[in-house]
Amino acid sequence: MLNDGTGFKKVYIATGFTDLRRGIDGLARTIRFQFHLDPYDKHTLFLFCGRRTDRIKGLLWEGDGFLLLYKRIENGNFRWPRTKDEALEITADQYQMLMQGLEIIARSPIEEVPEPVFSM
């Protein structure tokens, strides 16, 4: 279910560190009060990662209750953005990259170099 990501209207990742000991209520409060988003938004997946980057938790409202997802990968880790303390909406392609262990936000993005000025 988590690998293909089909059926999700939106996917948000909570950048930075999250205490994965939190359950459904704690993660829903984080979504509501820290990120100012609606945890009851149907078909919207919220993903959280702790300090150990080999496991993530997901929270999904299905209309009649929450679904708490937990994934631990055996070989490797997730390339989780740690720079901001906010929720980041990602595209379906970025979601696929994240599930494959690839970085979705470059640490050193390529910047355009200004054209050099030559003097004679």
Side-chain angles (χ1 to χ4, degrees), residues 51-108:
R51 292 198 183 273
R52 297 180 67 179
T53 57
D54 65 338
R55 54 199 76 197
I56 59 173
K57 271 191 177 180
L59 190 65
L60 177 69
W61 174 254
E62 292 191 312
D64 59 352
F66 281 106
L67 177 64
L68 182 65
L69 305 163
Y70 184 81
K71 181 168 185 168
R72 184 186 74 200
I73 55 177
E74 295 299 322
N75 189 10
N77 56 13
F78 293 101
R79 304 290 183 205
W80 204 263
R82 301 289 188 185
T83 56
K84 297 181 182 177
D85 193 26
E86 60 185 34
L88 174 68
E89 184 176 357
I90 59 175
T91 65
D93 291 335
Q94 288 175 317
Y95 179 80
Q96 291 293 329
M97 290 170 57
L98 181 69
M99 290 297 119
Q100 293 173 8
L102 301 173
E103 287 191 40
I104 59 173
I105 298 175
R107 292 181 190 190
S108 301

